[in-house]
Amino acid sequence: MRFPMTVLRAVTLAPALLVSFVLTVVVCALLPPALGLVAFMAAGGVLVALALGQLQEPAVAALTRSRPATEAELRVMAPVLAELGGRGVDVGALFVRRIQRPSTPVAVAIGRRTVVVSPGLVEATYHGGVTGAEAAAALAHAVGRRQAIRPRLELAVLAATAPWRLVVATFRGVGRAFAWLPFTRLAWTLRGVVGVICVVQSVVEDRAWAGLLGGTVIALTYLVPAAGRRIELHTEAEADQFVLSLGLGPVLAGLLRRYGHPMTLERMQRLETAVEQPQRPRLHLVHG
């Protein structure tokens, strides 16, 4: 069953926005009254400025832990950007991440024509481990992902949901720390059963609101990841088609295969499909 992207994005964003707002209010309430009010107003002012298109560069740097590319990095990536420009993809600004982890994306398009790349991509391009065409394909895929989602008020939403991402990262860290305990994975798998018991017991004890609240939270642990996976599959397919339309599909497939990136057979076939280029009109010479 297919769901509109608007519904899927609402499922993933609504809990993040709600939890982030509640956490912000709680933190501001714990501060001295005057300081809490100033902090709350300042946070609101920053979100309004981001929604109006201001503070783009510092927001990108803060939200992605990156910095504008240096002159040396721009010289390395200049042929890549020129390759993209020749194919109609305009990258306005190039940022480089300050820290690279195994889960760090190679390239992410964000804001107004800004692409954030990993330092590993710049180094691999400089040393020849990644060709210019392959780097261009990676950047084009990032641009294609953003075009597929077409986020509204992107930087403002990312800033507003920062508390949610902090909470999720904290819980994931705690989960990894206690993953060695027996039955931990089983307990997480059976959380749906616990939710049903919680709802039934609360209704029996005339505390239906508490049971429904707990059941809703547990239901969201199923719905939010499922919606996120649907969005990811749709975005990946659209970005692949965008790269393919630029004639860089086989190049991207080769890059992903060489670095052992997991790909389904469907995606491999999709990227390696040859796109027929429109034939140029022939020029006929007329002899008198």
Side-chain angles (χ1 to χ4, degrees), residues 81-102:
L81 300 180
E83 173 80 13
L84 289 174
R87 297 176 184 268
V89 180
D90 184 18
V91 176
L94 186 69
F95 279 60
V96 180
R97 297 204 185 248
R98 297 181 182 276
I99 301 174
Q100 180 172 342
R101 295 185 174 90

Side-chain angles (χ1 to χ4, degrees), residues 55-224:
L55 306 176
Q56 295 283 309
E57 185 170 312
V60 171
L63 291 171
T64 61
R65 297 182 182 180
S66 62
R67 52 169 176 73
T70 63
E71 292 186 6
E73 292 167 336
L74 286 175
R75 283 196 296 270
V76 172
M77 300 301 291
V80 177
L81 300 180
E83 173 80 13
L84 289 174
R87 297 176 184 268
V89 180
D90 184 18
V91 176
L94 186 69
F95 279 60
V96 180
R97 297 204 185 248
R98 297 181 182 276
I99 301 174
Q100 180 172 342
R101 295 185 174 90
S103 60
T104 301
V106 173
V108 173
I110 186 174
R112 297 178 177 177
R113 300 185 301 111
T114 300
V115 175
V116 181
V117 299
S118 66
L121 178 63
V122 180
E123 294 175 6
T125 304
Y126 175 71
H127 292 295
V130 173
T131 66
E134 290 173 339
L139 268 64
H141 195 268
V143 175
R145 291 179 66 89
R146 189 178 187 280
Q147 290 183 357
I149 300 176
R150 298 186 183 278
R152 297 180 180 179
L153 308 177
E154 181 181 18
L155 292 177
V157 171
L158 286 174
T161 55
W164 163 264
R165 293 196 300 277
L166 179 61
V167 169
V168 171
T170 301
F171 275 102
R172 285 179 177 173
V174 172
R176 285 193 295 266
F178 290 95
W180 59 272
L181 291 175
F183 304 113
T184 300
R185 186 178 297 274
L186 178 62
W188 177 252
T189 303
L190 296 177
R191 67 190 184 280
V193 178
V194 176
V196 173
I197 295 174
C198 174
V199 172
V200 172
Q201 183 177 358
S202 299
V203 171
V204 171
E205 296 177 356
D206 200 19
R207 294 184 294 107
W209 63 271
L212 291 176
L213 179 61
T216 301
V217 171
I218 293 177
L220 287 175
T221 64
Y222 290 97
L223 293 176
V224 173

